[in-house]
Amino acid sequence: PQANLIFIASLLLGTTITISSNHWITAWMGLEINTLAILPLISKSHHPRAIEAATKYFLTQAAASTLVLFSSMTNAWCTGQWDITQLTHPTSCLILTSAVAMKLGLVPFHFWFPEVLQGSPLTTGLLLSTIMKLPPITLLYMTSPSLNPTLLTTLAIFSTALGGWMGLNQTQVRKILAFSSISHLGWMAIIIIYNPKLTLLNFYLYTMMTAAVFLTLNTIKVLKLSTLMTTWTKIPSLNAMLLLTLLSLAGLAPLTGFLPKWLIIQELTKQDMAPAAMLISLLSLLILFFYLRFAYCTAITLPPRTTNHMKQWRTNKPTNITIAMLIT
């Protein structure tokens, strides 16, 4: 317990240092404290997969931190400014965008995130999906006026597309949530230049909904969709809440998750980016499909019929996609 307390306190300290700093060196220090504090929590179980996940996480984050330092030094060399909000050199902006994309797990730097989440416990996965995303998003928020809109829009659309496509055939709950996180990050990245406050709203709501999903899955001890099918009879109230939270994450209209998507599409349309808004809206159907499958597994009440239910779901894929599109 004492070690866990030290690591959690270090996480909070690193996050606070980064989000409250104006100087690049202090922001980098906060990112490094975060990385070093989360590594023991990932590798706590001493399973080979957990050690592999911790190694992948360390190498990726170390490379991203190096790029953050390199971009800030390049900017300081050309402009004489170490202030985060004074990032004006174009090359520094491109390097920083790549570094933050690597920190967050945006496409094409997304390969590490599903593997690390799959090798981590659910509680650590919750930290990786929520609090560990806050410092990089804060850096994007502070440097948003200087960033390249075309690059960020491209990264965002590819993240939404790949997050949806790669999550379709997954049966592991943590990998589904990882690809869902990549897709949601695409929604945050596309709007950060035009309306940064919308990105923060989206992140806060995503954090609350993801926390509810992870904590529920941790309570009912579920790691696979096949296990999820038999849990309805154990804690019906938790399963009902999980069903609603999943539909909210999918962005269905009466629920909270619809609000940020609606506001983002509205803002993109105001900025004369209707094609991008239409494309990202269509790509969100992919996320809706695997969330509906997730929710479908949650709502099954008769354990003996679960295998038949999954077979029926797989054989009726076109019908189910049509239903998802009609609901949207």
Side-chain angles (χ1 to χ4, degrees):
Q2 289 85 354
N4 271 339
L5 182 62
I6 291 171
F7 297 140
I8 297 296
S10 300
L11 276 178
L12 294 174
L13 175 67
T15 304
T16 308
I17 289 174
T18 301
I19 65 178
S20 60
S21 61
N22 290 318
H23 198 284
W24 277 111
I25 297 299
T26 50
W28 171 79
M29 283 170 55
L31 292 172
E32 288 302 299
I33 291 171
N34 261 2
T35 302
L36 295 175
I38 197 74
L39 287 173
L41 297 177
I42 296 173
S43 57
K44 188 168 59 175
S45 64
H46 300 293
H47 191 274
R49 185 178 284 275
I51 304 299
E52 179 189 345
T55 308
K56 286 178 179 175
Y57 185 79
F58 172 74
L59 293 175
T60 312
Q61 299 300 309
S65 294
T66 307
L67 286 178
V68 168
L69 265 186
F70 183 57
S71 72
S72 59
M73 287 171 64
T74 309
N75 187 68
W77 180 268
C78 296
T79 65
Q81 288 288 339
W82 282 98
D83 196 326
I84 293 177
T85 55
Q86 300 298 320
L87 189 77
T88 52
H89 195 260
T91 308
S92 301
C93 293
L94 288 175
I95 297 171
L96 180 76
T97 307
S98 304
V100 174
M102 198 181 291
K103 283 261 177 205
L104 290 172
L106 284 170
V107 173
F109 308 105
H110 66 287
F111 297 101
W112 64 272
F113 189 55
E115 298 298 326
V116 170
L117 214 62
Q118 179 62 25
S120 308
L122 281 169
T123 47
T124 309
L126 170 59
L127 293 175
L128 286 170
S129 300
T130 54
I131 194 171
M132 297 301 291
K133 305 285 187 194
L134 183 56
I137 284 179
T138 308
L139 291 180
L140 273 186
Y141 180 88
M142 288 192 283
T143 57
S144 58
S146 309
L147 300 179
N148 187 333
T150 309
L151 176 62
L152 269 178
T153 304
T154 307
L155 290 179
I157 288 174
F158 276 110
S159 296
T160 311
L162 262 75
W165 277 323
M166 296 178 76
L168 287 178
N169 291 324
Q170 298 296 330
T171 56
Q172 297 286 334
V173 165
R174 285 171 292 186
K175 280 200 173 181
I176 290 176
L177 291 170
F179 288 120
S180 154
S181 177
I182 292 169
S183 185
H184 278 88
L185 284 169
W187 281 88
M188 296 178 212
I190 200 170
I191 201 65
I192 193 159
I193 290 179
Y194 307 106
N195 194 338
K197 290 181 181 178
L198 262 185
T199 297
L200 291 185
L201 173 68
N202 196 348
F203 178 73
Y204 295 148
L205 293 178
Y206 166 75
T207 299
M208 285 194 295
M209 293 183 287
T210 306
V213 172
F214 269 103
L215 294 174
T216 305
L217 293 172
N218 190 48
T219 304
I220 58 182
K221 299 291 182 284
V222 167
L223 296 175
K224 297 179 185 175
L225 288 183
S226 54
T227 318
L228 186 63
M229 294 176 185
T230 60
T231 57
W232 179 265
T233 51
K234 295 178 186 174
I235 314 177
S237 56
L238 266 185
N239 273 61
M241 189 185 77
L242 180 61
L243 175 66
L244 286 173
T245 312
L246 289 170
L247 293 177
S248 180
L249 272 172
L252 289 188
L255 302 167
T256 314
F258 174 69
L259 174 66
K261 287 184 169 58
W262 176 36
L263 293 174
I264 287 171
I265 290 169
Q266 194 176 24
E267 185 65 30
L268 287 174
T269 311
K270 285 180 185 174
Q271 299 288 340
D272 293 329
M273 293 183 64
M278 183 181 69
L279 186 57
I280 203 167
S281 305
L282 288 174
L283 290 172
S284 69
L285 288 175
L286 297 167
I287 320 164
L288 178 63
F289 175 71
F290 68 71
Y291 269 128
L292 281 178
R293 185 176 67 159
F294 205 150
Y296 174 83
C297 294
T298 307
I300 291 176
T301 57
L302 299 175
R305 295 173 60 204
T306 52
T307 309
N308 294 332
H309 271 281
M310 274 303 281
K311 285 179 182 174
Q312 185 181 355
W313 176 262
R314 285 171 183 157
T315 53
N316 291 342
K317 269 185 181 178
T319 310
N320 292 323
I321 291 175
T322 308
I323 292 169
M325 292 176 72
L326 287 172
I327 289 172
T328 311

